[in-house]
């Protein structure tokens, strides 16, 4: 049975004081649980990675980054390498988030390179795929997502692929208050799993962890996580409230 993962993406939020308070609230709540129904990953602003990795008092939390660059070092002002991120104690890294693709113009090629850099430095990449509203309305979202998947997984062998996680994030449902229905989300998750089954093997596809990200909150999490091919969530705004985030973790059944 696949484990559930609930990953928080704090994005560009929280001062140092606010981040520490949020982190402590989440950690305290998790520490009270005799059984945590999911692996919890906090993808925090990179400034806070080392502090949280060193100060966490429970193994129920792992720390992740929200982005990296694909070179290990060099004249890339303002960038952070996967090697640097790993050295600060992170275990995960979000790659190809729709905001990176759409605001910063990251290509499928860059998503591949960044994923490979994570794997080379023992970071687990959470690779994001998903369609904007115009692609959804044109009913070409399956082929669009397939291209995003092929751009990465056509270049990773089975062993490499098994160290990655995929997050499906319908771009039209991020920060808009809208969310894909469980049926809409399940349709795409099923397609992704079938893609992986064909690309690698039925077992590899069946074992693969695929998260849903797109205005997932404490109200809709249980319905989404109950879907056969949804293995947890990549949580944005709702992860900035400790109580809401803990309720989402409880929904991981």
């Amino acid at each position: 049975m696949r484990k559930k993962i609930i990953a928080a993406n704090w994005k560009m939020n929280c001062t140092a004081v606010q981040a520490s308070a949020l982190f402590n609230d989440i950690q305290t709540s998790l520490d009270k649980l005799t059984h945590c129904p999911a692996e919890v990953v906090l993808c925090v602003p990179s400034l806070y990675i080392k502090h949280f990795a060193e100060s966490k008092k429970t193994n129920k939390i792992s720390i992740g980054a929200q982005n990296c660059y694909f070179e290990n070092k060099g004249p890339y002002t303002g960038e952070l390498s996967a090697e640097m991120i790993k050295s600060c104690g992170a275990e995960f890294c979000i790659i190809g988030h729709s905001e990176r693709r759409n605001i910063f113009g990251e290509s499928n090629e860059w998503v591949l390179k960044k994923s490979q850099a994570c794997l080379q430095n023992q970071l687990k990449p959470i690779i994001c795929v998903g369609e904007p509203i115009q692609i959804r309305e044109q009913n070409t979202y399956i082929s669009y997502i397939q291209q995003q998947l092929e751009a990465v997984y056509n270049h990773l062998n089975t062993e490499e692929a098994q160290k990655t996680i995929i997050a499906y994030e319908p771009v039209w449902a991020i920060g808009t208050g809208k969310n894909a229905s469980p049926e809409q989300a399940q349709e795409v998750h099923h397609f992704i799993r079938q893609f992986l089954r064909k690309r690698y093997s039925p077992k590899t596809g069946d074992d693969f962890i695929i998260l849903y990200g797109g205005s997932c909150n404490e109200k809709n999490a249980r319905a989404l996580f109950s879907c056969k091919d949804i293995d947890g969530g990549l949580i944005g705004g709702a992860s900035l409230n400790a109580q809401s985030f803990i309720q989402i973790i409880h929904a991981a059944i």
Side-chain angles (χ1 to χ4, degrees):
M1 184 175 179
R2 297 184 301 271
K3 66 179 177 181
K4 289 286 199 297
I5 292 180
I6 307 298
N9 179 11
W10 288 7
K11 306 189 179 183
M12 195 178 74
N13 291 293
C14 298
T15 64
V17 171
Q18 292 167 338
S20 291
L22 177 57
F23 178 80
N24 289 334
D25 285 347
I26 293 172
Q27 180 169 241
T28 299
S29 296
L30 285 176
D31 212 31
K32 293 177 181 177
L33 299 179
T34 54
H35 169 69
C36 187
E39 181 174 356
V40 178
V41 180
L42 302 182
C43 295
V44 302
S46 296
L47 286 168
Y48 310 143
I49 290 173
K50 184 174 175 62
H51 172 64
F52 289 161
E54 292 179 345
S55 63
K56 70 185 182 81
K57 300 174 182 178
T58 175
N59 58 8
K60 295 174 183 175
I61 292 177
S62 298
I63 304 299
Q66 300 172 17
N67 182 41
C68 72
Y69 194 55
F70 49 77
E71 298 287 357
N72 273 346
K73 60 182 68 177
Y76 307 106
T77 301
E79 294 292 339
L80 297 174
S81 70
E83 182 180 46
M84 297 162 91
I85 291 167
K86 178 66 176 179
S87 74
C88 288
E91 298 177 56
F92 295 80
C93 185
I94 299 172
I95 299 295
H97 190 280
S98 60
E99 291 158 0
R100 298 300 312 178
R101 294 178 186 262
N102 299 334
I103 299 173
F104 299 99
E106 293 190 3
S107 64
N108 285 336
E109 181 183 5
W110 273 40
V111 173
L112 169 62
K113 288 182 177 181
K114 290 184 175 189
S115 299
Q116 291 172 323
C118 286
L119 292 170
Q120 290 164 5
N121 288 280
Q122 291 75 54
L123 278 176
K124 299 176 184 176
I126 301 173
I127 302 169
C128 299
V129 300
E131 79 281 5
I133 185 62
Q134 63 269 27
I135 298 297
R136 167 62 64 162
E137 291 176 343
Q138 292 168 7
N139 200 33
T140 56
Y141 53 94
I142 293 297
S143 60
Y144 184 89
I145 293 166
Q146 181 171 335
Q147 290 175 3
Q148 292 179 320
L149 292 169
E150 289 175 343
V152 175
Y153 289 96
N154 281 359
H155 302 277
L156 299 184
N157 61 35
T158 300
E159 182 180 0
E160 292 168 330
Q162 290 171 334
K163 296 175 182 177
T164 72
I165 295 166
I166 292 175
Y168 167 58
E169 42 163 22
V171 181
W172 47 273
I174 297 175
T176 64
K178 299 178 182 179
N179 60 283
S181 68
E183 293 76 18
Q184 288 173 316
Q186 167 59 23
E187 177 197 16
V188 177
H189 278 245
H190 178 71
F191 165 74
I192 293 171
R193 196 170 305 285
Q194 291 302 110
F195 169 88
L196 296 164
R197 284 171 59 91
K198 293 175 183 176
R199 171 67 181 88
Y200 298 104
S201 71
K203 185 179 188 310
T204 297
D206 290 343
D207 291 346
F208 215 94
I209 295 173
I210 309 172
L211 309 180
Y212 172 76
S215 295
C216 181
N217 55 51
E218 66 274 20
K219 295 178 181 178
N220 59 28
R222 187 170 295 275
L224 287 163
F225 299 164
S226 296
C227 295
K228 179 180 178 181
D229 292 303
I230 297 180
D231 305 313
L234 178 59
I235 315 300
S239 71
L240 298 173
N241 180 291
Q243 184 176 357
S244 296
F245 188 59
I246 293 299
Q247 289 183 49
I248 293 171
I249 294 169
H250 279 297
I253 56 178

